[in-house]
Amino acid sequence: MAVHIEGQTVRGAKVIGSDRRYEGVRLVKCTLSACSLAQFDDPEFSLVVRDSSMQGCRVDRCSVQGVFFDGVTIDGLAAKQLHRLYGCVFRRVVLRGKIGPIMAMGPHTGLAGREHYIAGMIEKYRDIEWALDISEAVFSDADFYYVPGHLIRRDPETQVLLSREKVKSVPREDFPLYAGIWASRFDETPFDTLVGVAPKASSNFSNYMSDIEWLRSRNLVE
């Protein structure tokens, strides 16, 4: 059954555990504070959020781990601090409007059986046509190094595709600051492609773009 919640503040709500599915959830202008959506025991990702959306919402100190987001649209999402998505898998997820700061990273380093989760993520992405669409998002800061870059729909001007093969052809110390951070992500991710984002709402946007031009001049990005 569809759920529509508008203009509410939710504090301390916790959904913990696998084999749970939430579909048709629509949050509009809501604030989520110190909430958790996580599972720690299923590398096949049976904690699922499907065909749901958030519009104009805010998150504060929320925890997300091991969720399969399928057919989800986020239209505007504010965060007081970096919003970390630990070990999540995405299929047909759209981020647009003002978003961030946000990071899709690997499973939490303290997670028991972490390697099984990473293997599960790799396997899950084998059957996904596209994972994320970030082409219309205006980020304050963003990093999606635990999502295969070739599965991300992007704005080619400000969001560039890097490959492990090309990056390793250049000494790491030669990279400028932000390009070097993106290159270093290949030390952490199991995937061979990733997207580097120049966040349009960042005060350092012009510096990011300078680094993208440096990468382009050396044929290191698409």
Side-chain angles (χ1 to χ4, degrees):
M1 184 176 71
V3 176
H4 180 102
I5 302 174
E6 186 166 352
Q8 300 295 312
T9 295
V10 181
R11 292 187 175 89
K14 297 185 184 301
V15 175
I16 307 293
S18 54
D19 199 21
R20 300 167 186 250
R21 289 164 178 80
Y22 299 91
E23 300 189 27
V25 178
R26 178 170 169 77
L27 304 179
V28 179
K29 297 180 180 178
C30 291
T31 296
L32 306 179
S33 178
C35 297
S36 298
L37 178 64
Q39 60 89 7
F40 306 97
D41 59 357
D42 182 16
E44 295 187 3
F45 297 89
S46 60
L47 175 55
V48 180
V49 177
R50 177 172 286 128
D51 297 332
S52 298
S53 66
M54 298 177 72
Q55 181 179 358
C57 292
R58 177 180 296 273
V59 292
D60 177 24
R61 294 172 292 114
C62 292
S63 175
V64 183
Q65 158 75 46
V67 183
F68 178 35
F69 292 100
D70 184 15
V72 174
T73 297
I74 309 295
D75 190 349
L77 182 68
K80 284 189 175 181
Q81 60 278 117
L82 181 63
H83 186 50
R84 293 178 173 89
L85 304 171
Y86 289 98
C88 294
V89 175
F90 307 90
R91 179 168 65 188
R92 298 183 296 111
V93 172
V94 178
L95 304 180
R96 62 173 177 246
K98 294 181 178 181
I99 302 284
I102 190 169
M103 177 183 287
M105 54 199 306
H108 198 282
T109 54
L111 184 66
R114 185 175 188 267
E115 67 279 5
H116 298 300
Y117 274 87
I118 295 173
M121 296 177 75
I122 294 170
E123 186 62 31
K124 199 85 170 171
Y125 277 121
R126 293 190 199 281
D127 298 323
I128 291 178
E129 181 181 1
W130 62 273
L132 289 173
D133 186 337
I134 60 172
S135 60
E136 298 181 26
V138 179
F139 295 108
S140 59
D141 195 8
D143 198 334
F144 300 101
Y145 68 96
Y146 245 81
V147 181
H150 61 282
L151 299 183
I152 297 179
R153 296 181 173 183
R154 57 195 171 84
D155 166 24
E157 181 181 352
T158 63
Q159 301 163 354
V160 293
L161 183 66
L162 295 90
S163 70
R164 188 185 302 274
E165 188 67 25
K166 287 187 176 182
V167 162
K168 74 179 184 180
S169 69
V170 178
R172 190 66 56 82
E173 60 270 18
D174 289 356
F175 285 86
L177 177 60
Y178 297 112
I181 292 172
W182 298 334
S184 72
R185 294 306 193 197
F186 284 112
D187 298 338
E188 303 176 56
T189 182
F191 303 111
D192 290 330
T193 58
L194 61 83
V195 169
V197 177
K200 296 176 183 176
S202 169
S203 60
N204 294 313
F205 176 67
S206 62
N207 294 328
Y208 278 97
M209 290 303 297
S210 293
D211 282 20
I212 285 178
E213 290 308 313
W214 186 92
L215 291 166
R216 284 197 178 111
S217 71
R218 288 156 178 80
N219 195 32
L220 294 175
V221 294
E222 298 177 22

